[in-house]
Amino acid sequence: MNTEQRISFIAGKIKYFDYQPIYRIKIETTLNYEVTINDLPVARKFNNDVGTLLLPINYALLKSGTQQLQIKIYPSYKDKYTPNPFFSNNPKFSFEIEKTARDKNGNLEEPKIVLNYELPKYEVDNNGSFDHSKPIDYSQQNILVKDFSFIANIPYELKGWSESEDLSKMNQEALHEKVLKFCETLVYKYKEEDFDYVKTQYLNADIEWYQSEYLKPDVIKKYQNAMNMNKGKFTNNFIPLNKYKMALYGNNKIISIERNDVENKGKSFFLHEKIDKEGNKKIVSLDLYLHIPKGSKELEIIR
């Protein structure tokens, strides 16, 4: 589809509501981590960056009710490419799930905390209180896995991967070859600046994202136009795929290629360096999570 056809296809599919809640996750740490919500990756960090992460997570919430959250925490990095083998004696990690919404003027209301957690420093006694005489020794550990749940009330419902095929039941060698071919074709089309092909492949995933963010038609039009508007403006150097793994998510209904080399650990196949006319460089990693819809044999982008 060209841009006009895609915008026409999307028209009427996004619903708007009197109250449009937005859920976000806020993470503060120097440690590394992977976060999944309903078994979909929403955040990961494998570097020595310092700062607070705050990002929306509505696209991982398919419907109202209990949402599952898992966080895997890893040691910090010694330098840009060298992770520490173990945690320090007093590692710091905290996160919040917060809920907000936009008012009629488009302003965000004051966030309310739905769930929060801080990595404990002390053991818990029989009464459920911290025993300050028993500090937790993390110094011989290199991974912590924490599971949580929270309630989200959202006015929309997304199909997502809820009815997709179970990829763990397929021939894995054939599936992996199919995934590689899909991703290679997508990158080739991007290199050729066939952005209509690329955006059409993302179309169903985009529609669910637009719904989860309640995006207005003018914003949707801007996003659908963005790639074609930038034709010829960038030299796109795709970073070769070296070490990688195939990862299953979404209760085995989602598959992705994840880079496993030190420089780009956890990033997707769709990873490239943008160089503008002034020579400024920027590494861009687009999400690329695939599924096979129920009754189909073909891969589609789901997020």
Side-chain angles (χ1 to χ4, degrees):
M1 296 182 185
N2 60 34
T3 302
E4 290 72 24
Q5 289 169 332
R6 293 195 307 275
I7 292 172
S8 177
F9 182 81
I10 296 168
K13 288 184 169 60
I14 310 303
K15 297 178 181 179
Y16 304 98
F17 309 90
D18 292 335
Y19 186 69
Q20 300 183 148
I22 297 171
Y23 289 83
R24 305 188 297 193
I25 187 167
K26 180 180 180 181
I27 302 173
E28 294 188 56
T29 187
T30 58
L31 302 175
N32 292 286
Y33 54 80
E34 294 178 280
V35 182
T36 61
I37 294 179
N38 298 322
D39 205 23
L40 176 75
V42 298
R44 52 166 53 105
K45 174 182 175 291
F46 292 107
N47 52 52
N48 63 346
D49 292 349
V50 176
T52 299
L53 177 77
L54 178 64
L55 54 86
I57 56 173
N58 277 35
Y59 66 92
L61 313 178
L62 301 185
K63 61 181 180 179
S64 287
T66 302
Q67 318 295 324
Q68 303 301 323
L69 183 152
Q70 184 181 81
I71 297 182
K72 295 179 180 178
I73 308 171
Y74 307 98
S76 59
Y77 273 42
K78 293 180 182 178
D79 53 45
K80 190 173 183 181
Y81 299 125
T82 311
N84 286 298
F86 301 104
F87 292 108
S88 64
N89 282 328
N90 188 24
K92 292 180 173 59
F93 181 96
S94 64
F95 82 87
E96 295 176 351
I97 299 294
E98 62 180 35
K99 177 185 178 182
T100 182
R102 294 195 182 277
D103 60 25
K104 293 181 179 179
N105 298 319
N107 300 312
L108 287 174
E109 67 179 26
E110 186 69 24
K112 297 177 181 177
I113 296 175
V114 175
L115 171 70
N116 62 350
Y117 173 82
E118 184 174 356
L119 199 63
K121 297 179 181 179
Y122 304 98
E123 301 282 358
V124 176
D125 61 24
N126 293 332
N127 297 319
S129 300
F130 289 120
D131 185 343
H132 290 78
S133 67
K134 295 181 179 179
I136 299 174
D137 182 7
Y138 292 100
S139 63
Q140 297 304 308
Q141 300 183 61
N142 57 16
I143 182 173
L144 299 168
V145 181
K146 305 293 180 180
D147 291 288
F148 308 88
S149 64
F150 64 96
I151 300 295
N153 293 303
I154 47 179
Y156 60 81
E157 186 168 333
L158 307 177
K159 180 185 288 187
W161 53 95
S162 61
E163 298 178 7
S164 304
E165 297 290 341
D166 186 339
L167 302 178
S168 67
K169 296 180 180 179
M170 300 180 63
N171 179 295
Q172 295 302 291
E173 185 176 349
L175 174 63
H176 292 178
E177 183 178 341
K178 198 168 188 175
V179 170
L180 275 169
K181 184 177 180 180
F182 184 100
C183 295
E184 287 168 351
T185 300
L186 193 68
V187 166
Y188 171 78
K189 293 290 188 179
Y190 196 97
K191 286 180 177 179
E192 294 294 304
E193 293 196 326
D194 188 352
F195 297 140
D196 284 332
Y197 176 92
V198 175
K199 289 302 292 181
T200 299
Q201 292 297 312
Y202 271 95
L203 186 56
N204 288 329
D206 279 347
I207 289 172
E208 291 205 335
W209 171 48
Y210 298 158
Q211 178 61 81
S212 74
E213 296 286 325
Y214 321 103
L215 296 187
K216 298 294 185 182
D218 60 326
V219 179
I220 292 171
K221 184 177 180 179
K222 179 181 177 181
Y223 279 127
Q224 287 296 319
N225 270 309
M227 282 187 171
N228 281 323
M229 294 294 287
N230 285 322
K231 271 190 176 181
K233 292 185 178 180
F234 295 100
T235 300
N236 297 290
N237 299 316
F238 275 83
I239 296 172
L241 187 67
N242 296 317
K243 295 181 180 179
Y244 69 92
K245 65 177 181 178
M246 295 279 181
L248 290 175
Y249 295 105
N251 299 316
N252 297 323
K253 295 178 179 181
I254 297 173
I255 191 167
S256 72
I257 295 177
E258 293 180 1
R259 294 173 184 263
N260 217 14
D261 54 293
V262 175
E263 294 86 351
N264 301 299
K265 187 175 181 180
K267 294 179 180 176
S268 79
F269 187 103
F270 210 160
L271 181 69
H272 62 290
E273 179 185 73
K274 280 190 172 183
I275 306 175
D276 63 22
K277 292 180 179 179
E278 286 72 40
N280 299 313
K281 296 180 181 180
K282 182 181 180 181
I283 300 296
V284 180
S285 178
L286 299 180
D287 285 345
L288 191 53
Y289 296 101
L290 309 176
H291 76 136
I292 297 178
K294 186 176 181 180
S296 174
K297 294 183 179 180
E298 299 304 320
L299 289 164
E300 291 184 8
I301 298 174
I302 186 64
R303 289 292 183 272

